[in-house]
Amino acid sequence: MRDRRLQPLLHDLVSTVLAPTTALSGADGQIRPAGVQGLFHADARVLSQATLAIDGREPEPIGHAVSGPGSSRFVSLARWLGDRTPDPTVRVDRVRRVTPGAMDEEITLASTAADPFSCTVTVALSCDLAPIEVVKSGGATVPLARESGGGLAWRSGDTRVTVSGGAYADGGLRWEVTVAPGERVTLRWGVRVTDPKAVVTAPAGPREWSRPEIEADDARLVRLARQSLDDLEALRLAESAAPQDTFLGAGVPWFLTLFGRDSIWAARMLLPLGTELAASTLRVLARHQGAKVDATSGEAPGKIMHELRRGEFAVEGNDLRLPATYYGTIDATPLWIALLHDAWRWGMPESQVGALLPALESALGWLADHGDADGDGFLEYIDTSGSGLANQGWKDSGDAVRFHDGGRAEPPIALVEVQGYAYEAAVAGAALLEAFGRPGADRWRDYAGRLAERFRERFWLDAGHPALALDRDKRPVDALTSNIGHLLGTGILTPAEELRIARTLEDPSMSGSFGLRTMSTRDAGFSPLSYHCGSVWAHDTAIVISGLARSGHGGLAARLADGLLSAAEGFAYRLPELHAGDDRALMGHALPYPAACRPQAWSAAAAVAIVHAAVGLHPDVPAGRAVLRPLPGAPLGALSVRGLRVAGASVNATVDPSGTAHVTGLPAGVTLRQG
């Protein structure tokens, strides 16, 4: 039988990233010419091999650590060198530093042997400049021949890769080394990339958000926050044409570019650290806001885009062919509106909010004019191009929308959480229009009210929870999924309905893993290793944690947070895109989903969402007030956070062991009340 192409696995690789450049290697530091290993810049693999050898043998690895944005250390041994004793006497430290468009390595040989030794150190190198979509599909690639002339360099089109350091040898670099007893010898080499047509680049300025100091009884929360803040800093990106505005690239390696939904959610979770990232993300997406109807790209007037690439994104082996600027998302537009509103309430300057009001009005117009294709009053999607995403919510895999019996829903599909987003966006849009003296507030409040009535009539099931979606025949898709948790806090539910959803999600079939499962174990489509039908996604769980905390269901919020913290322990506190949805008792730790991206922006931002839920600070700067509503009883233990941001002011918050919270540093004119 002919082997089918398989997407390369990622779970055991080490990512060293400072966007838009990423090195993916084995845990031993070796970059081998296999799978997805390599050095990537923007959307191409610029080195497909960088393997270290000493006297023709690979060192034996004993450990590694990611040591900050763009930096990793790999430690190994050369036991065939040095003394013939049980203790190793020759250690090899390989320090990798990635910066935008470059990678540098220091290879240090340290000896505690009694006698000097000599050896030959080599680094074998190759380059294929394979597009990311070819690597993702498991497609075959061919190493490029190096440029003629001195040195090591490769070129394809306008992209050029050059290597320096050591003596140039066949297939790489070479050093002849002698190490005396007690000495250390350090070798250095590096690679540089010139890529003038990349659509993303490093931002022009410093980090846009604060880095708070966190102390907590639960040490896992401190460690997760520290690693997550490093990863968020490493994922900062800007458009090459407008480097002054930063957004977060979605994830390494497949999604290190602008993704409307992902970048919005990550910026929204980071609002407690300042509004600057939200403001720049909003501006970037507004510049790409749809202006015309285009079935191929999914563009429509007022619509917020899905993803940005250098060129067409065509995955070998299937029919997916996405244009460079693709709009196939049903939820990015209402989420953009909600982000603008939330940033305003956290203190985004009124001049910056005002500049985005025309884009707000266009986005609101899309809700009614283009988001509801068949006029039934719900937002729904269908790919009419035949080459785009079949599912266009955050669960966008082909089998993501399934009935309880496992059957797949047919489009047009109206997702449950998207109706909540639309309700929240309409109410938020009305508040902004009214506050800034623009017409239309009453129209959008009326829209929200009518949507809530229709939703209550059509989505609620006899089982006591809302359906996942309505299919093309307006039948409720009756699987129990995490999507319903996104409704919490949007305003579309009554308190009694929020309680029903909280109790539904509390069932072990949903919450019995390390976080919230994407689908109940009782549904026929469930698999703990399904991308969207049984796995656990950190950002999905964090969104539900935030909604539970806001709606007064702190007990379940705390249990789900504990699940993510326990999962983080097994991933060195770098939460992946998703992990397996097995029961917690099965292995005692979370199992990886083998093709999960890591780091991932909204997974890293989940750490901030957990801290925010525990503290419970909810400012409304335009109204001159802030509400403090921590999780009751301090279920995550005592917590101190210094360096939150409200309207540019540095704010400190503490939660004592009894669950009593205190806040200091709120800006003048903002009055605090307990929730």
Side-chain angles (χ1 to χ4, degrees):
M1 178 186 289
R2 182 179 173 185
D3 288 341
R4 60 191 177 103
R5 290 178 178 173
L6 299 174
Q7 180 175 319
L9 302 186
L10 295 165
H11 67 283
D12 59 352
L13 300 184
V14 178
S15 302
T16 310
V17 55
L18 198 57
T21 307
T22 303
L24 284 171
S25 73
D28 57 0
Q30 301 283 42
I31 297 175
R32 294 184 170 83
V36 68
Q37 296 192 35
L39 177 67
F40 293 82
H41 179 74
D43 47 11
R45 181 162 59 188
V46 295
L47 274 186
S48 52
Q49 180 183 14
T51 52
L52 170 68
I54 300 173
D55 291 336
R57 301 170 65 172
E58 292 191 19
E60 299 170 295
I62 60 172
H64 73 276
V66 176
S67 49
S71 181
S72 296
R73 179 183 293 270
F74 305 89
V75 181
S76 56
L77 305 174
R79 289 190 297 158
W80 60 92
L81 299 173
D83 298 343
R84 294 189 175 186
T85 65
D87 292 338
T89 56
V90 179
R91 167 175 164 151
V92 183
D93 280 55
R94 185 175 186 177
V95 177
R96 175 172 296 145
R97 295 185 178 91
V98 169
T99 54
M103 183 180 79
D104 292 283
E105 286 195 352
E106 293 181 353
I107 301 165
T108 299
L109 281 67
S111 174
T112 57
D115 299 307
F117 68 86
S118 297
C119 62
T120 300
V121 178
T122 58
V123 176
L125 299 164
S126 60
C127 169
D128 59 8
L129 283 171
I132 191 72
E133 62 268 26
V134 173
V135 179
K136 188 177 192 293
S137 67
T141 63
V142 178
L144 296 175
R146 69 181 182 90
E147 288 185 347
S148 58
L152 277 174
W154 300 268
R155 181 189 292 274
S156 178
D158 293 315
T159 304
R160 189 167 189 264
V161 182
T162 58
V163 172
S164 61
Y168 300 116
D170 238 6
L173 302 172
R174 179 187 182 99
W175 296 264
E176 300 295 339
V177 175
T178 298
V179 185
E183 280 195 351
R184 301 164 59 89
V185 173
T186 298
L187 314 173
R188 296 177 175 85
W189 72 278
V191 57
R192 299 292 181 269
V193 184
T194 303
D195 186 7
K197 292 188 177 178
V199 296
V200 292
T201 188
R207 185 187 67 232
E208 290 75 16
W209 56 88
S210 69
R211 183 166 180 131
E213 298 177 24
I214 299 174
E215 297 177 2
D217 284 349
D218 193 330
R220 299 173 304 172
L221 184 55
V222 177
R223 293 168 185 150
L224 176 61
R226 182 186 302 123
Q227 181 61 56
S228 296
L229 290 168
D230 280 350
D231 288 339
L232 290 163
E233 189 168 346
L235 293 170
R236 295 171 66 243
L237 276 175
E239 289 186 279
S240 299
Q244 73 279 4
D245 281 329
T246 301
F247 56 89
L248 288 174
V252 172
W254 316 128
F255 311 124
L256 197 53
T257 185
L258 176 65
F259 272 72
R261 176 193 310 118
D262 301 52
S263 299
I264 289 169
W265 267 122
R268 197 176 184 189
M269 292 183 191
L270 262 61
L271 280 172
L273 310 186
T275 63
E276 291 84 354
L277 176 66
S280 59
T281 301
L282 289 161
R283 287 192 293 267
V284 170
L285 291 169
R287 284 197 292 269
H288 291 280
Q289 193 170 27
K292 64 182 184 298
V293 174
D294 183 338
T296 301
S297 68
E299 183 180 359
K303 193 175 186 182
I304 298 301
M305 60 168 289
H306 177 57
E307 67 181 278
L308 179 69
R309 300 282 186 177
R310 181 196 307 253
E312 183 182 69
F313 188 84
V315 177
E316 295 184 38
N318 64 39
D319 296 327
L320 189 68
R321 305 185 73 85
L322 307 183
T325 305
Y326 180 58
Y327 290 81
T329 168
I330 192 63
D331 52 9
T333 307
L335 289 172
W336 185 96
I337 296 169
L339 176 61
L340 178 62
H341 174 264
D342 288 0
W344 173 58
R345 291 185 60 157
W346 275 92
M348 181 174 163
E350 288 197 356
S351 60
Q352 296 180 23
V353 177
L356 289 166
L357 292 179
L360 166 69
E361 291 168 328
S362 294
L364 286 167
W366 176 85
L367 295 182
D369 298 337
H370 298 280
D372 178 14
D374 61 7
D376 68 344
F378 296 117
L379 294 191
E380 63 244 329
Y381 61 81
I382 182 170
D383 171 50
T384 58
S385 72
S387 58
L389 291 170
N391 284 315
Q392 297 185 359
W394 84 259
K395 295 179 178 177
D396 57 5
S397 54
D399 65 348
V401 185
R402 307 178 76 164
F403 289 87
H404 173 68
D405 64 7
R408 298 188 188 185
E410 295 295 330
I413 290 171
L415 290 169
V416 61
E417 77 275 16
V418 173
Q419 314 317 312
Y421 300 161
Y423 179 95
E424 185 176 22
V427 173
L432 284 162
L433 293 173
E434 188 170 73
F436 284 82
R438 314 274 282 218
D442 288 344
R443 174 194 177 189
W444 293 109
R445 290 196 182 98
D446 181 62
Y447 171 96
R450 288 184 286 110
L451 174 59
E453 291 175 5
R454 285 190 299 272
F455 179 84
R456 200 158 282 116
E457 293 169 358
R458 301 298 304 276
F459 271 82
W460 280 89
L461 303 170
D462 292 341
H465 61 81
L468 164 59
L470 302 181
D471 73 354
R472 68 181 177 190
D473 299 318
K474 308 306 176 185
R475 294 181 302 163
V477 181
D478 57 350
L480 172 56
T481 67
S482 62
N483 301 58
I484 64 173
H486 289 222
L487 299 171
L488 298 166
T490 63
I492 199 170
L493 302 174
T494 67
E497 290 167 341
E498 289 183 325
L499 176 60
R500 289 166 69 185
I501 286 180
R503 287 177 173 170
T504 298
L505 297 180
E506 195 170 22
D507 189 273
S509 69
M510 289 298 296
S511 61
S513 187
F514 292 89
L516 186 68
R517 290 187 176 102
T518 45
M519 178 176 280
S520 166
T521 59
R522 299 192 180 104
D523 283 291
F526 170 82
S527 166
L529 286 173
S530 167
Y531 195 56
H532 287 131
C533 298
S535 59
V536 173
W537 288 62
H539 90 281
D540 180 38
T541 301
I543 290 168
V544 177
I545 288 169
S546 297
L548 288 164
R550 288 170 63 185
S551 57
H553 302 286
L556 179 55
R559 286 195 291 279
L560 293 177
D562 178 74
L564 287 187
L565 292 172
S566 296
E569 287 184 287
F571 295 112
Y573 295 96
R574 174 179 268 182
L575 278 171
E577 178 185 15
L578 69 158
H579 54 268
D582 293 290
D583 284 336
R584 293 184 70 158
L586 181 68
M587 298 284 290
H589 60 83
L591 288 175
Y593 178 88
C597 292
R598 187 164 169 252
Q600 186 91 349
W602 57 13
S603 294
V608 179
I610 293 171
V611 171
H612 179 236
V615 170
L617 177 63
H618 300 278
D620 185 350
V621 172
R625 62 176 178 263
V627 175
L628 188 60
R629 191 167 51 244
L631 292 179
L636 299 180
L639 175 65
S640 170
V641 187
R642 294 185 295 275
L644 300 174
R645 292 265 180 87
V646 177
S650 182
V651 174
N652 302 327
T654 60
V655 179
D656 68 21
S658 71
T660 302
H662 301 277
V663 170
T664 60
L666 287 171
V670 176
T671 303
L672 182 69
R673 69 176 177 85
Q674 298 290 329

